[in-house]
Amino acid sequence: MPYVNIKLTREQEPLTTEQKAALIKGVTELLVDVIDRGPTTTVVIIDEIDTDNYGVGGETITVRRNQKQ
Amino acid sequence: MPYVNIKLTREQEPLTTEQKAALIKGVTELLVDVIDRGPTTTVVIIDEIDTDNYGVGGETITVRRNQKQ
Amino acid sequence: MPYVNIKLTREQEPLTTEQKAALIKGVTELLVDVIDRGPTTTVVIIDEIDTDNYGVGGETITVRRNQKQ
Amino acid sequence: MPYVNIKLTREQEPLTTEQKAALIKGVTELLVDVIDRGPTTTVVIIDEIDTDNYGVGGETITVRRNQKQ
Amino acid sequence: MPYVNIKLTREQEPLTTEQKAALIKGVTELLVDVIDRGPTTTVVIIDEIDTDNYGVGGETITVRRNQKQ
Amino acid sequence: MPYVNIKLTREQEPLTTEQKAALIKGVTELLVDVIDRGPTTTVVIIDEIDTDNYGVGGETITVRRNQKQ
């Protein structure tokens, strides 16, 4: 019954329903494979965060993206 | 001064303002009742999560809802 | 299938097993009562935080406790 | 490589991009100043919460705001 | 640069260092495979929770384990 | 009344009480300075995480530290 929270940026091309389902399935299977925790009540929550609200290294992702271009 | 975070799915019929207020009031009172923690600075945050972003048992809630129908 | 996280300070007289069970039961029932969410997969996690690591109003709880005495 | 999550209410006059960048820069610098943790991989995430979903002292911020007026 | 938090119970036979490393590696690779997010700054944090502090379905994991025996 | 959660590794030389107090004071003041949010009910929680439980770039911090030596 682990709980997993994934936070990542909401990009211009947002995550598809299939990608979200694949992340949820993949994490749940990983927990079964590595530590044999029963998957039926494993909860996975994906938070999509605006790039203005997500910072790495003291800068927002918005700024980091613009610098790369 | 406990901090409580409630995460639940955003359904087609979303939570009403009254339901949110009742959850916040109820959790705060529960903490007073059970462990006598002063309620004035208790913080409660409710996160409503898209059913595509919330998984249980390796499947998104969207998929689980569709299977039940 | 809501997820609830309760964070509160670990006091000199720590929470008893009964108090923790009562919080978990109480929150789960509250969610059924207020929003009728099925309780079987509701997850509740209680984090007990050292008073040095918990701040309110810019001060640690340790300091606030000492000032009250 | 600390991780920082800031949750605050989304007000009628929402946070500007500049304010978010200043929060992310400020927290990252604070961690360098106080505990000398290398800033390059520090992650800061800001969650803006609806005032109906944020409670203090058993009441939503929406209600508290209205009472002050 | 996603952030992932895994919360699971601390069992009598606790997670080994190898299992934790495998979870961290596995989640990071999953995010690369499914959504092609660059792995260098992906942060994964594993929280091990006492079974008295972790509830599912209104009961602590401690109680649920005892009922199964 | 923002809520701030800081997660960082528990090092061999752990954070001092003074450093924790400085982080809590500093974050609270930053929120006042940048966005003028009243500090009295701001909550800050510091989680110290074992280096085996904290991963960046697919490796635990324990492993990354050993590689640097």
Side-chain angles (χ1 to χ4, degrees):
Chain A
M1 81 295 64
Y3 164 80
V4 181
N5 182 212
I6 301 172
K7 291 181 192 292
L8 32 74
T9 47
R10 183 185 292 111
E11 303 293 327
Q12 285 185 319
E13 214 168 308
L15 292 192
T16 65
T17 304
E18 287 70 29
Q19 286 176 316
K20 292 175 186 176
L23 285 179
I24 287 167
K25 186 161 175 284
V27 171
T28 306
E29 289 177 352
L30 179 73
L31 286 158
V32 175
D33 290 351
V34 176
I35 55 172
D36 195 24
R37 296 287 169 100
T40 25
T41 56
T42 292
V43 173
V44 183
I45 294 177
I46 300 170
D47 292 321
E48 297 172 275
I49 312 287
D50 194 279
T51 55
D52 278 355
N53 292 27
Y54 207 118
V56 176
E59 290 176 322
T60 68
I61 300 294
T62 311
V63 167
R64 288 165 71 100
R65 290 276 152 75
N66 290 340
Q67 288 169 342
K68 280 193 185 161
Q69 289 172 349
Chain B
M1 80 296 66
Y3 164 80
V4 182
N5 182 214
I6 300 172
K7 292 181 191 293
L8 33 71
T9 46
R10 183 185 293 111
E11 303 292 327
Q12 284 185 319
E13 213 168 310
L15 291 193
T16 63
T17 304
E18 287 71 29
Q19 285 175 316
K20 293 176 187 176
L23 285 178
I24 287 168
K25 186 161 175 283
V27 171
T28 306
E29 288 177 352
L30 178 72
L31 286 159
V32 174
D33 289 351
V34 176
I35 54 171
D36 195 24
R37 296 285 168 102
T40 24
T41 57
T42 292
V43 172
V44 183
I45 294 176
I46 300 170
D47 291 322
E48 297 171 274
I49 314 286
D50 195 280
T51 56
D52 278 355
N53 292 28
Y54 206 119
V56 176
E59 290 176 322
T60 68
I61 299 294
T62 310
V63 168
R64 288 166 71 99
R65 290 277 152 75
N66 290 340
Q67 287 170 343
K68 281 193 183 161
Q69 287 173 349
Chain C
M1 82 294 64
Y3 163 80
V4 181
N5 182 212
I6 301 172
K7 291 181 192 291
L8 33 71
T9 47
R10 183 184 294 111
E11 302 293 327
Q12 285 186 320
E13 215 167 307
L15 291 193
T16 64
T17 304
E18 287 71 30
Q19 286 175 316
K20 293 175 186 175
L23 285 179
I24 287 167
K25 185 162 178 283
V27 171
T28 307
E29 289 177 352
L30 178 72
L31 286 158
V32 175
D33 289 351
V34 176
I35 55 174
D36 195 24
R37 296 287 168 99
T40 25
T41 56
T42 292
V43 173
V44 183
I45 294 177
I46 300 170
D47 292 320
E48 297 172 275
I49 313 287
D50 195 279
T51 54
D52 276 354
N53 291 28
Y54 206 119
V56 175
E59 290 176 321
T60 68
I61 299 295
T62 310
V63 166
R64 288 165 72 100
R65 289 279 153 74
N66 290 339
Q67 288 168 342
K68 279 193 184 162
Q69 289 172 346
Chain D
M1 80 297 65
Y3 163 79
V4 181
N5 182 213
I6 301 172
K7 292 181 191 290
L8 32 72
T9 46
R10 183 185 293 111
E11 302 293 326
Q12 285 185 319
E13 215 169 308
L15 291 192
T16 64
T17 304
E18 287 71 29
Q19 286 175 316
K20 293 176 187 176
L23 285 178
I24 286 168
K25 185 161 177 283
V27 171
T28 306
E29 289 177 351
L30 179 73
L31 286 158
V32 175
D33 289 351
V34 176
I35 55 172
D36 195 25
R37 296 286 168 100
T40 25
T41 57
T42 293
V43 173
V44 183
I45 295 177
I46 301 170
D47 293 321
E48 297 172 274
I49 313 286
D50 195 279
T51 55
D52 277 354
N53 292 29
Y54 207 118
V56 175
E59 290 176 322
T60 68
I61 299 295
T62 310
V63 167
R64 288 165 71 100
R65 290 278 153 74
N66 290 340
Q67 287 169 342
K68 280 195 184 159
Q69 289 172 346
Chain E
M1 80 295 65
Y3 164 81
V4 181
N5 182 214
I6 301 172
K7 292 181 191 290
L8 32 72
T9 46
R10 183 185 293 112
E11 302 294 326
Q12 285 186 318
E13 213 167 308
L15 291 191
T16 63
T17 303
E18 286 71 29
Q19 286 176 315
K20 292 175 188 177
L23 285 178
I24 286 168
K25 186 161 176 284
V27 171
T28 306
E29 288 177 352
L30 179 72
L31 287 159
V32 175
D33 289 350
V34 176
I35 55 172
D36 194 25
R37 295 286 168 101
T40 24
T41 56
T42 293
V43 173
V44 183
I45 294 176
I46 301 170
D47 292 321
E48 297 172 275
I49 313 286
D50 196 279
T51 54
D52 277 356
N53 291 29
Y54 206 118
V56 175
E59 290 175 323
T60 68
I61 299 294
T62 310
V63 167
R64 288 165 72 98
R65 291 277 153 74
N66 290 339
Q67 286 169 345
K68 280 194 183 160
Q69 289 172 345
Chain F
M1 79 298 63
Y3 164 80
V4 181
N5 182 212
I6 301 171
K7 292 181 193 290
L8 33 72
T9 46
R10 182 185 293 112
E11 303 293 326
Q12 284 185 319
E13 215 168 308
L15 290 193
T16 63
T17 304
E18 286 71 29
Q19 285 176 317
K20 293 176 187 175
L23 285 178
I24 287 168
K25 185 161 177 284
V27 172
T28 306
E29 289 177 352
L30 179 73
L31 287 158
V32 175
D33 289 351
V34 176
I35 56 172
D36 195 23
R37 295 287 167 99
T40 25
T41 57
T42 292
V43 173
V44 183
I45 294 177
I46 301 169
D47 293 321
E48 297 172 275
I49 313 287
D50 195 280
T51 55
D52 277 354
N53 291 29
Y54 206 118
V56 176
E59 290 176 321
T60 67
I61 299 294
T62 311
V63 167
R64 288 165 72 98
R65 290 277 153 74
N66 290 338
Q67 288 169 342
K68 280 194 185 160
Q69 288 172 347

